[in-house]
Short mmCIF file of all heavy atoms in Angstrom, two decimals:
data_model
loop_
_atom_site.label_atom_id
_atom_site.label_comp_id
_atom_site.label_asym_id
_atom_site.label_seq_id
_atom_site.Cartn_x
_atom_site.Cartn_y
_atom_site.Cartn_z
N MET A 228 0.83 -1.17 0.00
CA MET A 228 0.00 0.00 0.00
C MET A 228 0.89 1.25 0.00
O MET A 228 1.54 1.54 0.97
CB MET A 228 -0.88 0.04 1.25
CG MET A 228 -1.67 -1.18 1.50
SD MET A 228 -3.31 -0.90 0.86
CE MET A 228 -4.06 -2.45 1.25
N GLY A 229 0.87 1.96 -1.09
CA GLY A 229 1.69 3.16 -1.19
C GLY A 229 0.82 4.39 -1.31
O GLY A 229 -0.39 4.35 -1.13
N GLY A 230 1.48 5.49 -1.62
CA GLY A 230 0.74 6.73 -1.80
C GLY A 230 -0.07 6.66 -3.08
O GLY A 230 0.42 6.25 -4.12
N GLY A 231 -1.30 7.04 -2.99
CA GLY A 231 -2.19 6.95 -4.13
C GLY A 231 -2.10 8.17 -5.02
O GLY A 231 -1.16 8.97 -4.96
N ASN A 232 -3.09 8.31 -5.86
CA ASN A 232 -3.11 9.43 -6.78
C ASN A 232 -3.29 10.77 -6.08
O ASN A 232 -2.85 11.79 -6.60
CB ASN A 232 -4.22 9.23 -7.81
CG ASN A 232 -3.84 8.19 -8.84
OD1 ASN A 232 -2.67 7.94 -9.06
ND2 ASN A 232 -4.84 7.59 -9.47
N ALA A 233 -3.90 10.77 -4.92
CA ALA A 233 -4.12 12.03 -4.21
C ALA A 233 -2.79 12.67 -3.82
O ALA A 233 -2.62 13.90 -3.92
CB ALA A 233 -4.97 11.80 -2.96
N GLN A 234 -1.85 11.85 -3.41
CA GLN A 234 -0.54 12.38 -3.03
C GLN A 234 0.19 12.94 -4.26
O GLN A 234 0.80 14.00 -4.22
CB GLN A 234 0.29 11.29 -2.37
CG GLN A 234 1.63 11.81 -1.85
CD GLN A 234 2.42 10.72 -1.16
OE1 GLN A 234 2.04 9.56 -1.15
NE2 GLN A 234 3.54 11.11 -0.57
N LYS A 235 0.11 12.22 -5.37
CA LYS A 235 0.75 12.68 -6.61
C LYS A 235 0.10 13.99 -7.09
O LYS A 235 0.79 14.92 -7.53
CB LYS A 235 0.62 11.63 -7.71
CG LYS A 235 1.40 10.37 -7.45
CD LYS A 235 1.15 9.37 -8.55
CE LYS A 235 1.77 8.03 -8.22
NZ LYS A 235 1.43 7.02 -9.22
N THR A 236 -1.21 14.07 -6.98
CA THR A 236 -1.92 15.28 -7.40
C THR A 236 -1.53 16.47 -6.53
O THR A 236 -1.31 17.58 -7.03
CB THR A 236 -3.44 15.05 -7.33
OG1 THR A 236 -3.77 13.93 -8.15
CG2 THR A 236 -4.20 16.27 -7.80
N ALA A 237 -1.45 16.25 -5.22
CA ALA A 237 -1.09 17.33 -4.31
C ALA A 237 0.33 17.82 -4.58
O ALA A 237 0.61 19.02 -4.58
CB ALA A 237 -1.23 16.87 -2.86
N MET A 238 1.26 16.91 -4.85
CA MET A 238 2.63 17.30 -5.15
C MET A 238 2.70 18.07 -6.46
O MET A 238 3.41 19.06 -6.58
CB MET A 238 3.55 16.06 -5.21
CG MET A 238 3.91 15.51 -3.85
SD MET A 238 4.80 16.67 -2.82
CE MET A 238 6.31 16.85 -3.72
N ALA A 239 1.97 17.61 -7.47
CA ALA A 239 1.96 18.29 -8.77
C ALA A 239 1.36 19.68 -8.64
O ALA A 239 1.86 20.64 -9.23
CB ALA A 239 1.18 17.46 -9.79
N ARG A 240 0.30 19.79 -7.83
CA ARG A 240 -0.34 21.09 -7.63
C ARG A 240 0.63 22.06 -6.93
O ARG A 240 0.74 23.23 -7.32
CB ARG A 240 -1.61 20.91 -6.81
CG ARG A 240 -2.50 22.12 -6.77
CD ARG A 240 -3.84 21.83 -6.11
NE ARG A 240 -4.65 20.96 -6.95
CZ ARG A 240 -5.26 19.85 -6.53
NH1 ARG A 240 -5.15 19.47 -5.28
NH2 ARG A 240 -5.98 19.13 -7.35
N ALA A 241 1.35 21.60 -5.91
CA ALA A 241 2.31 22.45 -5.20
C ALA A 241 3.46 22.85 -6.11
O ALA A 241 3.91 24.00 -6.10
CB ALA A 241 2.83 21.72 -3.97
N LYS A 242 3.92 21.91 -6.92
CA LYS A 242 5.03 22.19 -7.84
C LYS A 242 4.60 23.21 -8.89
O LYS A 242 5.35 24.15 -9.20
CB LYS A 242 5.46 20.89 -8.50
CG LYS A 242 6.64 21.01 -9.42
CD LYS A 242 7.01 19.64 -9.99
CE LYS A 242 8.06 19.76 -11.06
NZ LYS A 242 8.35 18.48 -11.69
N ASN A 243 3.41 23.07 -9.44
CA ASN A 243 2.92 24.01 -10.45
C ASN A 243 2.67 25.39 -9.84
O ASN A 243 2.90 26.41 -10.50
CB ASN A 243 1.65 23.48 -11.11
CG ASN A 243 1.95 22.31 -12.03
OD1 ASN A 243 3.07 22.16 -12.51
ND2 ASN A 243 0.95 21.47 -12.26
N ALA A 244 2.20 25.45 -8.60
CA ALA A 244 1.97 26.73 -7.95
C ALA A 244 3.30 27.46 -7.72
O ALA A 244 3.40 28.67 -7.92
CB ALA A 244 1.24 26.55 -6.63
N ALA A 245 4.34 26.72 -7.32
CA ALA A 245 5.65 27.33 -7.11
C ALA A 245 6.22 27.84 -8.43
O ALA A 245 6.81 28.92 -8.50
CB ALA A 245 6.60 26.32 -6.48
N LYS A 246 6.02 27.08 -9.50
CA LYS A 246 6.51 27.50 -10.82
C LYS A 246 5.78 28.74 -11.30
O LYS A 246 6.39 29.67 -11.84
CB LYS A 246 6.32 26.35 -11.82
CG LYS A 246 6.86 26.63 -13.19
CD LYS A 246 6.67 25.43 -14.12
CE LYS A 246 7.16 25.74 -15.51
NZ LYS A 246 6.93 24.64 -16.44
N ALA A 247 4.47 28.80 -11.09
CA ALA A 247 3.69 29.96 -11.52
C ALA A 247 4.09 31.20 -10.72
O ALA A 247 4.16 32.30 -11.27
CB ALA A 247 2.20 29.68 -11.36
N ALA A 248 4.36 31.04 -9.44
CA ALA A 248 4.78 32.18 -8.62
C ALA A 248 6.13 32.70 -9.07
O ALA A 248 6.38 33.91 -9.08
CB ALA A 248 4.82 31.77 -7.15
N LYS A 249 7.02 31.80 -9.44
CA LYS A 249 8.34 32.21 -9.90
C LYS A 249 8.24 32.98 -11.22
O LYS A 249 8.91 33.99 -11.42
CB LYS A 249 9.23 30.99 -10.08
CG LYS A 249 10.64 31.29 -10.54
CD LYS A 249 11.45 30.03 -10.73
CE LYS A 249 12.81 30.38 -11.31
NZ LYS A 249 13.54 29.19 -11.70
N GLU A 250 7.40 32.53 -12.13
CA GLU A 250 7.25 33.19 -13.42
C GLU A 250 6.57 34.55 -13.28
O GLU A 250 6.86 35.47 -14.02
CB GLU A 250 6.46 32.31 -14.38
CG GLU A 250 7.24 31.09 -14.86
CD GLU A 250 6.42 30.17 -15.74
OE1 GLU A 250 5.23 30.46 -15.95
OE2 GLU A 250 6.97 29.17 -16.19
N ALA A 251 5.69 34.70 -12.31
CA ALA A 251 4.98 35.95 -12.10
C ALA A 251 5.89 37.01 -11.48
O ALA A 251 5.59 38.19 -11.54
CB ALA A 251 3.76 35.74 -11.21
N ALA A 252 7.01 36.60 -10.91
CA ALA A 252 7.91 37.53 -10.23
C ALA A 252 8.78 38.34 -11.18
O ALA A 252 9.56 39.14 -10.74
CB ALA A 252 8.79 36.76 -9.25
N GLY A 253 8.68 38.14 -12.46
CA GLY A 253 9.46 38.92 -13.41
C GLY A 253 10.26 38.02 -14.33
O GLY A 253 10.21 38.17 -15.53
N GLY A 254 11.01 37.12 -13.75
CA GLY A 254 11.78 36.20 -14.56
C GLY A 254 12.93 36.86 -15.26
O GLY A 254 13.13 38.06 -15.22
N GLY A 255 13.71 36.07 -15.93
CA GLY A 255 14.86 36.60 -16.66
C GLY A 255 14.69 36.36 -18.14
O GLY A 255 13.77 35.70 -18.59
N GLY A 256 15.58 36.92 -18.91
CA GLY A 256 15.57 36.72 -20.35
C GLY A 256 14.39 37.41 -21.01
O GLY A 256 13.81 38.34 -20.49
N ALA A 257 14.04 36.94 -22.18
CA ALA A 257 12.97 37.56 -22.95
C ALA A 257 11.60 37.32 -22.33
O ALA A 257 10.69 38.13 -22.52
CB ALA A 257 12.99 37.04 -24.38
N ALA A 258 11.46 36.24 -21.58
CA ALA A 258 10.16 35.91 -21.02
C ALA A 258 9.69 36.94 -19.99
O ALA A 258 8.50 37.26 -19.93
CB ALA A 258 10.20 34.53 -20.36
N GLY A 259 10.60 37.50 -19.20
CA GLY A 259 10.21 38.44 -18.16
C GLY A 259 10.42 39.89 -18.53
O GLY A 259 10.29 40.76 -17.68
N LYS A 260 10.73 40.16 -19.78
CA LYS A 260 11.04 41.53 -20.17
C LYS A 260 9.86 42.46 -19.97
O LYS A 260 10.02 43.59 -19.53
CB LYS A 260 11.50 41.58 -21.62
CG LYS A 260 11.93 42.96 -22.04
CD LYS A 260 12.53 43.00 -23.41
CE LYS A 260 12.99 44.41 -23.73
NZ LYS A 260 13.61 44.53 -25.02
N ALA A 261 8.67 42.01 -20.28
CA ALA A 261 7.48 42.86 -20.18
C ALA A 261 7.26 43.31 -18.73
O ALA A 261 6.87 44.46 -18.50
CB ALA A 261 6.25 42.13 -20.69
N SER A 262 7.52 42.46 -17.77
CA SER A 262 7.29 42.84 -16.38
C SER A 262 8.46 43.64 -15.81
O SER A 262 8.32 44.29 -14.78
CB SER A 262 7.04 41.61 -15.52
OG SER A 262 8.14 40.73 -15.58
N ARG A 263 9.62 43.61 -16.47
CA ARG A 263 10.77 44.39 -16.00
C ARG A 263 10.81 45.79 -16.60
O ARG A 263 11.51 46.66 -16.09
CB ARG A 263 12.08 43.68 -16.36
CG ARG A 263 12.36 42.44 -15.56
CD ARG A 263 13.79 42.00 -15.75
NE ARG A 263 14.20 41.94 -17.13
CZ ARG A 263 14.13 40.88 -17.92
NH1 ARG A 263 13.63 39.77 -17.45
NH2 ARG A 263 14.56 40.92 -19.16
N VAL A 264 10.08 46.02 -17.66
CA VAL A 264 10.12 47.32 -18.33
C VAL A 264 9.34 48.33 -17.50
O VAL A 264 8.21 48.11 -17.13
CB VAL A 264 9.51 47.22 -19.75
CG1 VAL A 264 9.39 48.58 -20.38
CG2 VAL A 264 10.37 46.32 -20.62
N ASN A 265 9.99 49.45 -17.21
CA ASN A 265 9.35 50.52 -16.47
C ASN A 265 8.94 51.62 -17.42
O ASN A 265 9.53 51.80 -18.48
CB ASN A 265 10.30 51.11 -15.43
CG ASN A 265 10.50 50.21 -14.25
OD1 ASN A 265 9.54 49.66 -13.74
ND2 ASN A 265 11.73 50.05 -13.81
N ASN A 266 7.95 52.37 -17.02
CA ASN A 266 7.59 53.52 -17.83
C ASN A 266 8.62 54.61 -17.60
O ASN A 266 9.04 54.87 -16.49
CB ASN A 266 6.18 54.00 -17.49
CG ASN A 266 5.98 54.19 -16.01
OD1 ASN A 266 6.82 53.83 -15.22
ND2 ASN A 266 4.87 54.77 -15.64
N MET A 267 9.03 55.25 -18.67
CA MET A 267 10.08 56.26 -18.61
C MET A 267 9.42 57.64 -18.42
O MET A 267 9.35 58.44 -19.34
CB MET A 267 10.92 56.22 -19.88
CG MET A 267 11.54 54.86 -20.15
SD MET A 267 12.73 54.41 -18.92
CE MET A 267 14.22 54.92 -19.73
N ASP A 268 8.93 57.88 -17.21
CA ASP A 268 8.17 59.10 -16.93
C ASP A 268 9.03 60.28 -16.54
O ASP A 268 8.62 61.42 -16.69
CB ASP A 268 7.16 58.85 -15.80
CG ASP A 268 5.95 58.10 -16.29
OD1 ASP A 268 5.75 58.02 -17.50
OD2 ASP A 268 5.19 57.59 -15.45
N ILE A 269 10.22 60.03 -16.00
CA ILE A 269 11.05 61.13 -15.52
C ILE A 269 11.99 61.54 -16.65
O ILE A 269 12.80 60.75 -17.12
CB ILE A 269 11.85 60.70 -14.29
CG1 ILE A 269 10.90 60.23 -13.18
CG2 ILE A 269 12.71 61.84 -13.79
CD1 ILE A 269 11.59 59.68 -11.96
N LYS A 270 11.87 62.80 -17.09
CA LYS A 270 12.67 63.29 -18.22
C LYS A 270 13.35 64.59 -17.84
O LYS A 270 12.71 65.52 -17.38
CB LYS A 270 11.76 63.50 -19.43
CG LYS A 270 12.46 63.81 -20.71
CD LYS A 270 11.45 63.93 -21.83
CE LYS A 270 12.08 63.71 -23.18
NZ LYS A 270 11.10 63.80 -24.26
N CYS A 271 14.66 64.64 -18.07
CA CYS A 271 15.43 65.83 -17.79
C CYS A 271 15.08 66.90 -18.82
O CYS A 271 15.14 66.67 -20.01
CB CYS A 271 16.93 65.51 -17.84
SG CYS A 271 17.97 66.93 -17.53
N THR A 272 14.70 68.08 -18.33
CA THR A 272 14.31 69.15 -19.26
C THR A 272 15.51 69.81 -19.91
O THR A 272 15.35 70.51 -20.90
CB THR A 272 13.47 70.21 -18.53
OG1 THR A 272 14.24 70.71 -17.43
CG2 THR A 272 12.17 69.63 -18.04
N VAL A 273 16.71 69.59 -19.37
CA VAL A 273 17.91 70.19 -19.94
C VAL A 273 18.43 69.36 -21.11
O VAL A 273 18.64 69.87 -22.21
CB VAL A 273 18.99 70.36 -18.86
CG1 VAL A 273 20.26 70.94 -19.45
CG2 VAL A 273 18.48 71.24 -17.73
N CYS A 274 18.64 68.06 -20.89
CA CYS A 274 19.24 67.22 -21.93
C CYS A 274 18.29 66.16 -22.48
O CYS A 274 18.67 65.37 -23.33
CB CYS A 274 20.50 66.55 -21.41
SG CYS A 274 20.20 65.35 -20.09
N MET A 275 17.07 66.10 -21.95
CA MET A 275 16.02 65.19 -22.41
C MET A 275 16.32 63.71 -22.15
O MET A 275 15.76 62.84 -22.82
CB MET A 275 15.70 65.38 -23.90
CG MET A 275 15.24 66.76 -24.25
SD MET A 275 13.77 67.19 -23.31
CE MET A 275 13.62 68.91 -23.71
N GLN A 276 17.19 63.41 -21.19
CA GLN A 276 17.44 62.02 -20.83
C GLN A 276 16.27 61.52 -19.99
O GLN A 276 15.80 62.22 -19.09
CB GLN A 276 18.74 61.86 -20.07
CG GLN A 276 18.92 60.45 -19.55
CD GLN A 276 20.36 60.03 -19.46
OE1 GLN A 276 21.24 60.78 -19.81
NE2 GLN A 276 20.57 58.83 -18.99
N CYS A 277 15.81 60.29 -20.28
CA CYS A 277 14.67 59.71 -19.57
C CYS A 277 15.14 58.73 -18.50
O CYS A 277 16.16 58.05 -18.67
CB CYS A 277 13.75 58.99 -20.54
SG CYS A 277 12.97 60.09 -21.71
N PHE A 278 14.37 58.64 -17.45
CA PHE A 278 14.62 57.71 -16.37
C PHE A 278 13.32 56.99 -16.03
O PHE A 278 12.24 57.58 -16.14
CB PHE A 278 15.12 58.44 -15.11
CG PHE A 278 16.47 59.08 -15.28
CD1 PHE A 278 16.59 60.37 -15.76
CD2 PHE A 278 17.61 58.38 -14.97
CE1 PHE A 278 17.82 60.96 -15.92
CE2 PHE A 278 18.86 58.96 -15.13
CZ PHE A 278 18.97 60.24 -15.61
N PRO A 279 13.40 55.73 -15.59
CA PRO A 279 12.19 55.04 -15.14
C PRO A 279 11.58 55.74 -13.94
O PRO A 279 12.29 56.40 -13.17
CB PRO A 279 12.68 53.64 -14.77
CG PRO A 279 13.99 53.49 -15.44
CD PRO A 279 14.57 54.86 -15.57
N SER A 280 10.30 55.59 -13.76
CA SER A 280 9.61 56.28 -12.67
C SER A 280 10.08 55.81 -11.30
O SER A 280 9.85 56.50 -10.31
CB SER A 280 8.10 56.08 -12.80
OG SER A 280 7.81 54.69 -12.76
N THR A 281 10.75 54.67 -11.24
CA THR A 281 11.23 54.14 -9.97
C THR A 281 12.63 54.63 -9.63
O THR A 281 13.14 54.32 -8.56
CB THR A 281 11.23 52.61 -9.99
OG1 THR A 281 12.05 52.17 -11.08
CG2 THR A 281 9.83 52.07 -10.15
N GLN A 282 13.27 55.39 -10.52
CA GLN A 282 14.67 55.77 -10.34
C GLN A 282 14.84 57.26 -10.04
O GLN A 282 15.58 57.97 -10.71
CB GLN A 282 15.46 55.41 -11.61
CG GLN A 282 15.50 53.94 -11.90
CD GLN A 282 16.33 53.18 -10.89
OE1 GLN A 282 17.34 53.67 -10.44
NE2 GLN A 282 15.89 52.00 -10.53
N VAL A 283 14.17 57.74 -9.01
CA VAL A 283 14.26 59.15 -8.65
C VAL A 283 15.67 59.47 -8.14
O VAL A 283 16.22 60.53 -8.44
CB VAL A 283 13.20 59.52 -7.59
CG1 VAL A 283 13.33 60.96 -7.15
CG2 VAL A 283 11.81 59.26 -8.16
N LYS A 284 16.28 58.55 -7.40
CA LYS A 284 17.63 58.79 -6.89
C LYS A 284 18.63 58.89 -8.04
O LYS A 284 19.56 59.70 -7.99
CB LYS A 284 18.05 57.68 -5.93
CG LYS A 284 17.35 57.73 -4.60
CD LYS A 284 17.87 56.70 -3.66
CE LYS A 284 17.16 56.78 -2.33
NZ LYS A 284 17.65 55.77 -1.38
N ALA A 285 18.48 58.10 -9.06
CA ALA A 285 19.36 58.19 -10.23
C ALA A 285 19.17 59.52 -10.93
O ALA A 285 20.14 60.12 -11.43
CB ALA A 285 19.09 57.03 -11.19
N ALA A 286 17.95 60.00 -10.97
CA ALA A 286 17.69 61.30 -11.57
C ALA A 286 18.33 62.42 -10.75
O ALA A 286 18.87 63.38 -11.31
CB ALA A 286 16.18 61.53 -11.69
N GLN A 287 18.31 62.29 -9.43
CA GLN A 287 18.96 63.28 -8.58
C GLN A 287 20.47 63.28 -8.81
O GLN A 287 21.10 64.33 -8.91
CB GLN A 287 18.66 62.99 -7.10
CG GLN A 287 17.23 63.29 -6.73
CD GLN A 287 16.90 62.83 -5.31
OE1 GLN A 287 17.58 61.98 -4.75
NE2 GLN A 287 15.83 63.38 -4.76
N ALA A 288 21.06 62.09 -8.91
CA ALA A 288 22.49 61.98 -9.18
C ALA A 288 22.82 62.56 -10.55
O ALA A 288 23.85 63.21 -10.73
CB ALA A 288 22.93 60.53 -9.09
N HIS A 289 21.95 62.34 -11.52
CA HIS A 289 22.14 62.89 -12.87
C HIS A 289 22.16 64.41 -12.82
O HIS A 289 23.03 65.05 -13.42
CB HIS A 289 21.02 62.39 -13.79
CG HIS A 289 20.95 63.12 -15.10
ND1 HIS A 289 21.73 62.77 -16.17
CD2 HIS A 289 20.19 64.17 -15.51
CE1 HIS A 289 21.46 63.59 -17.19
NE2 HIS A 289 20.53 64.45 -16.80
N ALA A 290 21.23 65.00 -12.11
CA ALA A 290 21.15 66.46 -12.03
C ALA A 290 22.39 67.04 -11.35
O ALA A 290 22.90 68.08 -11.78
CB ALA A 290 19.89 66.88 -11.28
N GLU A 291 22.88 66.36 -10.32
CA GLU A 291 24.06 66.85 -9.61
C GLU A 291 25.33 66.73 -10.45
O GLU A 291 26.17 67.63 -10.44
CB GLU A 291 24.24 66.10 -8.30
CG GLU A 291 23.16 66.40 -7.28
CD GLU A 291 23.24 65.48 -6.07
OE1 GLU A 291 24.21 64.68 -5.98
OE2 GLU A 291 22.33 65.55 -5.23
N SER A 292 25.47 65.63 -11.18
CA SER A 292 26.72 65.41 -11.90
C SER A 292 26.73 66.02 -13.30
O SER A 292 27.75 66.55 -13.73
CB SER A 292 27.01 63.90 -11.99
OG SER A 292 26.03 63.27 -12.79
N LYS A 293 25.63 65.97 -14.01
CA LYS A 293 25.61 66.44 -15.39
C LYS A 293 25.25 67.91 -15.52
O LYS A 293 25.65 68.56 -16.48
CB LYS A 293 24.60 65.62 -16.22
CG LYS A 293 24.89 64.13 -16.26
CD LYS A 293 26.13 63.84 -17.05
CE LYS A 293 26.35 62.34 -17.12
NZ LYS A 293 27.57 61.99 -17.81
N HIS A 294 24.47 68.42 -14.59
CA HIS A 294 24.01 69.81 -14.67
C HIS A 294 24.26 70.52 -13.33
O HIS A 294 23.31 70.85 -12.61
CB HIS A 294 22.52 69.86 -15.03
CG HIS A 294 22.16 69.01 -16.20
ND1 HIS A 294 22.64 69.24 -17.47
CD2 HIS A 294 21.39 67.89 -16.29
CE1 HIS A 294 22.16 68.31 -18.30
NE2 HIS A 294 21.41 67.49 -17.60
N PRO A 295 25.51 70.76 -12.98
CA PRO A 295 25.80 71.35 -11.66
C PRO A 295 25.29 72.79 -11.51
O PRO A 295 25.06 73.23 -10.38
CB PRO A 295 27.33 71.30 -11.58
CG PRO A 295 27.80 71.20 -12.98
CD PRO A 295 26.71 70.48 -13.74
N LYS A 296 25.07 73.49 -12.62
CA LYS A 296 24.57 74.87 -12.53
C LYS A 296 23.06 74.93 -12.31
O LYS A 296 22.54 75.95 -11.90
CB LYS A 296 24.94 75.65 -13.79
CG LYS A 296 26.44 75.82 -13.96
CD LYS A 296 26.76 76.59 -15.21
CE LYS A 296 28.26 76.71 -15.40
NZ LYS A 296 28.62 77.38 -16.64
N SER A 297 22.37 73.83 -12.62
CA SER A 297 20.91 73.78 -12.43
C SER A 297 20.60 72.94 -11.21
O SER A 297 21.34 72.03 -10.85
CB SER A 297 20.25 73.15 -13.66
OG SER A 297 20.54 73.88 -14.82
N ASP A 298 19.47 73.24 -10.58
CA ASP A 298 19.07 72.42 -9.44
C ASP A 298 18.13 71.31 -9.92
O ASP A 298 17.72 71.27 -11.08
CB ASP A 298 18.42 73.27 -8.35
CG ASP A 298 17.16 73.96 -8.83
OD1 ASP A 298 16.99 74.10 -10.05
OD2 ASP A 298 16.34 74.34 -7.97
N PHE A 299 17.80 70.42 -8.99
CA PHE A 299 16.98 69.25 -9.32
C PHE A 299 15.60 69.66 -9.82
O PHE A 299 15.06 69.08 -10.75
CB PHE A 299 16.87 68.31 -8.11
CG PHE A 299 16.08 67.07 -8.37
CD1 PHE A 299 16.57 66.06 -9.17
CD2 PHE A 299 14.82 66.91 -7.81
CE1 PHE A 299 15.83 64.92 -9.42
CE2 PHE A 299 14.07 65.77 -8.05
CZ PHE A 299 14.59 64.77 -8.86
N ALA A 300 15.02 70.68 -9.21
CA ALA A 300 13.67 71.11 -9.59
C ALA A 300 13.65 71.68 -11.00
O ALA A 300 12.64 71.57 -11.71
CB ALA A 300 13.16 72.15 -8.60
N THR A 301 14.75 72.28 -11.44
CA THR A 301 14.81 72.81 -12.80
C THR A 301 14.93 71.68 -13.82
O THR A 301 14.28 71.70 -14.86
CB THR A 301 16.02 73.76 -12.95
OG1 THR A 301 15.92 74.77 -11.96
CG2 THR A 301 16.06 74.40 -14.32
N CYS A 302 15.76 70.69 -13.49
CA CYS A 302 15.96 69.56 -14.41
C CYS A 302 14.74 68.64 -14.47
O CYS A 302 14.39 68.15 -15.54
CB CYS A 302 17.18 68.75 -13.99
SG CYS A 302 18.74 69.59 -14.20
N PHE A 303 14.14 68.40 -13.32
CA PHE A 303 13.02 67.45 -13.24
C PHE A 303 11.83 68.11 -12.53
O PHE A 303 11.56 67.81 -11.36
CB PHE A 303 13.45 66.18 -12.52
CG PHE A 303 14.58 65.45 -13.18
CD1 PHE A 303 15.89 65.62 -12.76
CD2 PHE A 303 14.34 64.60 -14.25
CE1 PHE A 303 16.93 64.96 -13.38
CE2 PHE A 303 15.37 63.95 -14.87
CZ PHE A 303 16.68 64.12 -14.44
N PRO A 304 11.11 68.99 -13.20
CA PRO A 304 9.99 69.66 -12.52
C PRO A 304 8.86 68.71 -12.13
O PRO A 304 8.10 68.99 -11.20
CB PRO A 304 9.52 70.69 -13.54
CG PRO A 304 10.05 70.24 -14.85
CD PRO A 304 11.29 69.47 -14.55
N MET A 305 8.75 67.57 -12.82
CA MET A 305 7.69 66.62 -12.47
C MET A 305 7.96 65.89 -11.16
O MET A 305 7.05 65.34 -10.58
CB MET A 305 7.47 65.60 -13.61
CG MET A 305 8.59 64.59 -13.83
SD MET A 305 10.12 65.16 -14.58
CE MET A 305 9.66 65.87 -16.08
N CYS A 306 9.20 65.95 -10.67
CA CYS A 306 9.56 65.28 -9.41
C CYS A 306 9.71 66.25 -8.26
O CYS A 306 9.83 65.82 -7.12
CB CYS A 306 10.87 64.52 -9.56
SG CYS A 306 10.77 63.14 -10.68
N ALA A 307 9.74 67.53 -8.54
CA ALA A 307 9.97 68.52 -7.48
C ALA A 307 8.82 68.48 -6.48
O ALA A 307 7.66 68.47 -6.84
CB ALA A 307 10.09 69.91 -8.08
N GLN A 308 9.21 68.46 -5.22
CA GLN A 308 8.19 68.35 -4.17
C GLN A 308 8.17 69.58 -3.32
O GLN A 308 9.08 70.20 -3.02
CB GLN A 308 8.48 67.14 -3.29
CG GLN A 308 8.37 65.87 -4.08
CD GLN A 308 9.18 64.73 -3.46
OE1 GLN A 308 10.07 64.96 -2.67
NE2 GLN A 308 8.88 63.54 -3.86
#
């Protein structure tokens, strides 16, 4: 008397759920590209370089290093608070 079909079904269900969760997390390569792509909402008004909406710190560093004569609010008015 061994494990029946119920045990095999439960293991397959758990394995498929883990695989689906992994794929929904972004993934690598071409398969996860759509979920990794950010909208490029932050745009420097001086040089027109775009940054993803999640990269405000990178935009701040850009303003400090590339445009030292301008402040952050001038370069990125959409982010000024």
